[in-house]
Amino acid sequence: MNDDIEFDLDKFKAVVHYIISKCGFKDNVGRTVLYKLLYFSDFNFYEIYEESITGEKYIKKPRGPVPVHFIDATNELKDEGKIQIRKESLNNHFRYKYSSQSCPDLSLLRDDELELIDEVIDRLSDLYSNEISEYSHGDLPWRLAKNDKELNYEAVFYREPEYSVRNYS
């Protein structure tokens, strides 16, 4: 599954930094929301163009898809001085908040990739973590995967209409 999709760490970091720069300041946007924005960016792009933006692998977790390289990527971005990460206490649990410290390098991203990422941000970045998690549970790639296993990019071609982004006519 997904064997022909190659992960690009630099491009993944560029997308993470870009999304944080566009909506990390929103009170509702923490790690869970970022996970889902990344997931829908990659999988929606795959549905339309039959290629992933970053090649990232996403794992089925109880709260929705989780990008495998997120923690490493954000730690590298932090070490490079590009983002800040804050751990906040909130109602008996912690949440992670991310803020951009510099303009993201967009040289690795094509216009069509940025356009789709912006569409995902516009459509989903106002949802709270529980809302976007619940929404992600309806998407076929997550529904078909077994717990703690990789989501199959190819499943996007069988999405329900409310998740599909490609014009098949």
Side-chain angles (χ1 to χ4, degrees), residues 19-29 86 97-100:
I19 292 174
I20 289 170
S21 75
K22 295 283 282 188
C23 60
F25 62 89
K26 293 182 177 185
D27 186 54
N28 64 301
V29 176
R86 291 186 324 279
K97 291 292 294 169
Y98 300 83
S99 58
S100 180

Side-chain angles (χ1 to χ4, degrees), residues 7-20 54 69 72-74 76-77 80 82-83 104-105 108:
F7 176 65
D8 184 333
L9 176 60
D10 291 329
K11 198 165 187 183
F12 183 71
K13 286 170 47 181
V15 173
V16 170
H17 189 192
Y18 181 70
I19 292 174
I20 289 170
T54 68
H69 298 95
D72 291 340
T74 53
E76 284 186 29
L77 288 166
E80 293 165 4
K82 295 178 179 178
I83 66 168
D105 177 7
L108 295 175

Side-chain angles (χ1 to χ4, degrees), residues 22-23 25-29 33 37 120-132:
K22 295 283 282 188
C23 60
F25 62 89
K26 293 182 177 185
D27 186 54
N28 64 301
V29 176
V33 172
L37 295 175
V120 168
I121 290 169
D122 290 346
R123 196 163 48 87
L124 299 175
S125 70
D126 289 334
L127 297 177
Y128 285 87
S129 61
N130 61 326
E131 295 170 320
I132 199 166

Side-chain angles (χ1 to χ4, degrees), residues 47-60:
E47 184 183 4
I48 295 169
Y49 299 103
E50 299 182 21
E51 63 180 282
S52 167
I53 297 173
T54 68
E56 175 65 314
K57 289 182 169 135
Y58 294 83
I59 303 298
K60 181 176 182 172

